[in-house]
């Protein structure tokens, strides 16, 4: 197994977890919050997808799927289209509401495919490229991708937890 295969496997695990957390749920379940300050499945999946789209597109030198394929307009969110969910408060989290699982999974799947297309072409040397010099030490492509994968898996797991909690109510 080479580095590209490992990255593809990691992104496929995110894909499986997100689909398991979202498929078959109605908008009321996707938008439900376990308490007044909790994250909904909608927000968690939107956020993990926005971060992946933002970070991988930047590293790949491609336009974000969010903008290139009109997803920003379809979501109609009440904050800047550049927002990724990072640092959002409870009111902003509550405002991420979707009309269907198809909306969440459509955007997620489009980002997933673009991410896979990028990582399939990488080798170990490519992972050493510095992609962000604003940190000390500078962030390499490998570190950025591991960060995205770790964050996405955590949020996908949180979405699965919310789904399980809602199903037990």
């Amino acid at each position: 197994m080479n580095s590209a295969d490992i990255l593809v496997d990691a992104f496929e695990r995110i894909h499986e977890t997100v689909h398991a957390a979202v498929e078959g749920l109605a908008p009321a379940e996707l938008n439900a919050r376990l308490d007044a300050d909790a994250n909904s499945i909608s927000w968690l999946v939107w956020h993990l997808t926005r971060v992946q789209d933002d970070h991988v597109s930047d590293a790949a030198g491609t336009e974000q799927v969010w903008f290139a394929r009109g997803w920003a307009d379809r979501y109609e969110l009440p904050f800047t289209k550049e927002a990724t969910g990072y640092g959002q408060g409870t009111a902003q989290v509550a405002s991420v509401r979707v009309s269907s699982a198809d909306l969440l999974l459509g955007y997620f799947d489009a980002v997933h495919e673009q991410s896979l297309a990028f990582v399939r072409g990488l080798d170990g040397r490519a992972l050493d490229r510095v992609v962000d010099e604003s940190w000390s030490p500078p962030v390499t492509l490998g570190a950025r991708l591991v960060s995205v994968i770790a964050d996405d898996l955590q949020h996908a797991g949180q979405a699965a937890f919310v789904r399980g909690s809602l199903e037990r109510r």
Side-chain angles (χ1 to χ4, degrees), residues 59-60 118 122 126-131 139-146:
F118 174 61
L122 297 176
L127 299 175
D128 291 332
R129 176 173 59 94
V130 172
V131 295
V139 178
T140 63
L141 176 58
R144 176 61 44 90
L145 292 173
V146 167

Side-chain angles (χ1 to χ4, degrees), residues 78-123:
F79 33 83
T80 68
K81 291 181 179 181
E82 291 75 23
T84 63
Y86 181 77
Q88 288 188 328
T90 191
Q92 290 170 312
V93 168
S95 68
V96 177
R97 300 184 60 79
V98 297
S99 58
S100 71
D102 290 342
L103 183 66
L104 273 178
L105 293 176
Y107 176 46
F108 173 79
D109 287 345
V111 169
H112 176 70
E113 289 305 316
Q114 183 163 297
S115 297
L116 289 184
F118 174 61
V119 300
R120 280 189 176 118
L122 297 176
D123 61 25

Side-chain angles (χ1 to χ4, degrees), residues 29-56:
E29 297 160 314
L30 294 168
N31 298 318
R33 299 169 80 189
L34 298 179
D35 66 40
D37 292 320
N39 297 327
S40 66
I41 294 170
S42 295
W43 185 87
L44 288 161
V45 173
W46 168 79
H47 168 63
L48 75 85
T49 307
R50 285 293 296 124
V51 169
Q52 183 177 333
D53 193 9
D54 176 75
H55 288 23
V56 175

Side-chain angles (χ1 to χ4, degrees), residues 32-35 164-169:
R33 299 169 80 189
L34 298 179
D35 66 40
S165 295
L166 292 171
E167 288 174 344
R168 287 187 237 335
R169 283 187 170 175

